[in-house]
Amino acid sequence: MKLNNRVALVTGAGSGIGRAIAVELAQEGAKIGVNDINEKAIDETLRILQDLGASGIALKADIGNVSEVKGMFKKLKETYGTIDILVNNAGIAMPPSWVVYKERSNNAALKAMGEVMETGKMQESMKITSSFEDEWWLITLNVHLNGTFYCTREALKIMEEKRKGKIINLSSVTALHGEPIVPAYSAAKAGIIGFTKAVAQEVIGSGIIVNALAPGYIDTPLLDGMDDRVKQMIIARTPAGRLGNAKEIASLVAYLATDDANYIVGQVISPNGGMVI
């Protein structure tokens, strides 16, 4: 096992890609700090790890809250003494409570699709950004961009002292080409790429390696707010002809976390089924 006894913290590990990453790292021998805001989801992930015979601890915290992040790292260090791998994965797209956003986005995407099919092009603005609410913008950026910064800052305080560590940030294909119905998500994920490149150059002298993944559309609960017809449109735009699955992302994260990937520094790898090449 290539990560035997290393300590990994995976944010948003209660479901989807985060859970798959936690499992993949555990199968390589890592001890896992399982972070999420949903306590029940954390417990479910921990049960899976327990069935694998792996070590894991619950780290319930809102990564967009500085004090909760600090408390999370305090508990991790008290339990395992250190951190070797940080995976900044936690994120949101269209939470169930944002009903207006969900309806507006799906309707705009379907209307635009109809215009393109009928006339060959969009006929007017989708009017998403002009009607975008402050809450949607601020919360999205806080979870994705601020959360990645807060967790990275705390991890580096430990990693810089030991002169070793791996940080893997989850961006998105939307950061590479933009996506009209999710302007805040696209902006936050693009910010993560810039942050990754800056920090990677800053800390490599201390033996800390930082990279990012920019996955395409992955079949996880993050897409639950998306109309099935919009999903079919996305699949039609993907040369591979399907959505990705969480394990395909998790296996790549696990590789980047091992010493086999030590010459990969500050890169953005995008497993996206050929959507962006």
Side-chain angles (χ1 to χ4, degrees):
M1 294 187 287
K2 294 184 176 181
L3 299 174
N4 198 35
N5 290 323
R6 295 189 193 180
V7 176
L9 168 57
V10 183
T11 67
S15 65
I17 293 174
R19 176 177 288 173
I21 292 170
V23 169
E24 198 79 16
L25 296 179
Q27 289 175 329
E28 287 293 340
K31 302 172 183 177
I32 311 296
V34 179
N35 162 261
D36 208 281
I37 58 171
N38 185 326
E39 196 165 4
K40 182 179 178 181
I42 291 174
D43 290 341
E44 290 173 357
T45 298
L46 287 174
R47 278 196 293 271
I48 295 171
L49 298 183
Q50 185 176 23
D51 289 343
L52 293 172
S55 176
I57 61 166
L59 296 172
K60 184 178 184 295
D62 174 1
I63 63 163
N65 183 303
V66 176
S67 63
E68 290 190 22
V69 169
K70 289 180 182 292
M72 175 173 68
F73 274 85
K74 183 175 184 290
K75 181 178 178 181
L76 181 72
K77 192 170 182 181
E78 286 173 349
T79 304
Y80 290 132
T82 190
I83 181 172
D84 301 293
I85 302 157
L86 169 64
V87 183
N88 284 308
N89 163 77
I92 59 171
M94 293 183 195
S97 61
W98 295 0
V99 177
V100 174
Y101 181 28
K102 174 183 173 180
E103 292 178 352
R104 192 176 294 166
S105 299
N106 283 322
N107 290 340
L110 291 170
K111 183 174 183 294
M113 180 172 62
E115 291 172 353
V116 171
M117 292 177 66
E118 184 177 344
T119 68
K121 67 175 184 177
M122 288 172 54
Q123 296 298 313
E124 62 176 303
S125 168
M126 297 173 77
K127 298 179 181 177
I128 296 295
T129 301
S130 60
S131 61
F132 212 73
E133 296 183 12
D134 291 351
E135 177 192 15
W136 305 341
W137 178 266
L138 294 172
I139 291 178
T140 301
L141 263 67
N142 188 51
V143 172
H144 290 277
L145 193 52
N146 292 353
T148 295
F149 164 64
Y150 296 150
C151 291
T152 299
R153 179 171 61 183
E154 295 307 307
L156 287 177
K157 292 175 183 177
I158 301 169
M159 292 178 177
E160 286 173 338
E161 185 176 337
K162 64 193 287 185
R163 298 184 62 82
K164 187 174 183 181
K166 291 286 185 85
I167 298 176
I168 300 141
N169 298 323
L170 271 291
S171 179
S172 166
V173 71
T174 62
L176 305 179
H177 69 83
E179 193 64 62
I181 64 173
V182 286
Y185 186 86
S186 298
K189 291 300 193 180
I192 287 172
I193 288 178
F195 180 70
T196 297
K197 291 177 177 289
V199 178
Q201 295 176 77
E202 173 192 336
V203 302
I204 186 61
S206 290
I208 303 162
I209 298 173
V210 185
N211 287 291
L213 295 188
Y217 286 85
I218 310 301
D219 191 10
T220 72
L222 204 65
L223 298 186
D224 285 351
M226 187 179 289
D227 188 286
D228 286 341
R229 290 168 292 177
V230 177
K231 289 183 185 178
Q232 289 304 313
M233 180 175 64
I234 289 168
I235 291 171
R237 290 165 49 198
T238 306
R242 64 175 175 85
L243 300 174
N245 64 69
K247 184 171 174 56
E248 290 172 315
I249 307 305
S251 61
L252 187 49
V253 171
Y255 169 69
L256 290 173
T258 69
D259 292 338
D260 291 343
N262 283 354
Y263 202 55
I264 302 175
V265 178
Q267 299 303 302
V268 180
I269 303 170
S270 183
N272 62 57
M275 178 180 279
V276 175
I277 296 176

